[in-house]
């Protein structure tokens, strides 16, 4: 907990907040007294989050929705009369597909969710001034894959590089509006998405051994980095991609 009342009366919008890293970000904001709009396409995941007894549901506005329809997501925020101080573009698709089998429509779907929807949600929020409280801070969840050619993930790697690039451009374009835009680039962080991707214990040990710290990040460690970028000590940081990878990219 920060010692100041910096986060008093603040509100965050976290996409893909029902599980994994997104859920850790939601819980971290709540622990600082930040209200959170949680947007997720998965209603069961949302129910599971809201059933978490450590969460004060009065501080949460659940929006079961698809970020591909950014306007509809923001309409629900407007209907509740909430204004956003922090936007975390965390929702993403990460299917594991060899490039030789990667259909163009699947590639486009991944880019649509991971890049275009995050971009459009950010732009709409900046334009709909009634929805942002002023001094908006945007944190995009990119990945170390922005730099790496992880096999069977060409679509995903490309999306994360694009999101990092957009982060830099929006930071420059929107600085005069008082908007800061940064990215967090996590390394391997064990979440449900790894299991869904068919990655097993052997893969887990292999990926962990690639970074000097020899382990996966925890979702809480990524959430803490997001919190830092929204916080008072990051006031002069914009257009940055903060790598949280146990030294992986330093060692290759
Ligand atoms: N887990 C890792 O090792 C790792 C590493 C680097 C970066 N990241 C990034 O961190 C973020 C979170 O990763 P995770 O492992 O927790 O993912 P995850 O797949 O476990 O969770 C993603 C969430 O986003 C939601 N979502 C997906 N499409 C959506 C849409 N169109 N609209 C609204 N919600 C949608 C899902 O329902 C899910 O709850 C992603 O951006 C991912 O690319 C993860």
């Amino acid at each position: 907990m920060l010692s100041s009342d910096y986060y008093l009366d603040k509100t965050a919008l976290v996409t893909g907040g029902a599980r994994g890293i997104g859920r850790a970000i939601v819980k971290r904001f709540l622990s600082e007294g930040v209200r959170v709009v949680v947007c997720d396409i998965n209603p069961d995941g949302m129910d599971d989050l809201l059933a978490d007894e450590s969460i004060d549901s009065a501080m949460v506005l659940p929006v079961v929705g698809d970020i591909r329809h950014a306007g509809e997501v923001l309409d629900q925020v407007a209907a509740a009369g909430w204004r956003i101080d922090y936007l975390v573009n965390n929702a993403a698709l990460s299917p594991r597909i060899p490039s030789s089998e990667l259909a163009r429509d699947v590639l486009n779907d991944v880019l649509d969710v991971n890049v275009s929807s995050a971009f459009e949600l950010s732009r709409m929020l900046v334009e709909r001034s009634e929805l942002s409280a002023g001094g908006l801070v945007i944190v995009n969840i990119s990945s170390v894959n922005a730099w790496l050619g992880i096999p069977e993930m060409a679509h995903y790697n490309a999306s994360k590089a694009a999101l990092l690039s957009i982060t830099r451009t929006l930071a420059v374009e929107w600085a005069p509006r008082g908007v800061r835009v940064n990215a967090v680039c996590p390394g391997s962080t064990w979440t449900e998405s790894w299991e869904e991707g068919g990655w097993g214990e052997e893969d887990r040990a292999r990926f962990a051994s690639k970074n000097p710290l020899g382990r996966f990040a925890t979702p809480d460690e990524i959430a803490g980095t997001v919190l830092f970028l929204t916080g008072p000590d990051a006031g002069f940081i914009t257009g940055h991609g903060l790598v949280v990878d146990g030294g992986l990219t330093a060692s290759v």
Side-chain angles (χ1 to χ4, degrees), residues 15-22 39-42 65-68 89-94 113-114 141-145 156 160 185-194 196 216:
T15 70
R19 74 174 200 185
I21 292 171
C39 169
D40 204 289
I41 200 170
N42 179 357
D66 185 338
I67 57 165
R68 283 172 288 197
N89 285 308
N90 166 79
L93 301 178
S94 52
V113 171
N114 297 11
I141 308 300
S142 176
S143 169
V144 289
N145 291 34
Y156 176 84
K160 292 300 172 178
C185 303
S188 301
T189 310
W190 195 259
T191 64
E192 294 93 325
S193 67
W194 281 81
E196 277 180 8
F216 273 56

